[in-house]
Amino acid sequence: MAGARTVREVSDAYASGGSPYELVQQLLAKIETANPTVNCYITVLKESALKAAEESEKRAEEGRRLG
């Protein structure tokens, strides 16, 4: 799922078995790497983002995708 950028690409990746949790981990890693240079994030809620991704992944595994 690396490189997914648009909502459509993320949606298609999920539909083909991509992991919401992995995507969030990748995005958090990019933020951690880039933010010292671009300084565009004031607050990154890493734990809550990972928790939400985990919940999303569980819903998907149960066939209860939200969108």
Side-chain angles (χ1 to χ4, degrees):
M1 182 133 49
R5 299 177 196 272
T6 66
V7 171
R8 168 71 84 192
E9 289 169 334
V10 171
S11 179
D12 290 347
Y14 289 167
S16 64
S19 165
Y21 191 84
E22 288 177 14
L23 176 63
V24 169
Q25 285 181 314
Q26 291 168 7
L27 295 173
L28 288 169
K30 286 182 182 182
I31 290 169
E32 192 172 308
T33 300
N35 202 46
T37 303
V38 296
N39 207 20
C40 61
Y41 294 97
I42 296 170
T43 304
V44 177
L45 302 174
K46 182 177 180 176
E47 292 80 20
S48 58
L50 289 169
K51 181 178 170 101
E54 205 171 77
E55 291 169 358
S56 178
E57 195 155 317
K58 284 180 186 177
R59 279 192 307 273
E61 288 170 359
E62 296 169 354
R64 299 183 302 116
R65 292 183 186 270
L66 295 180

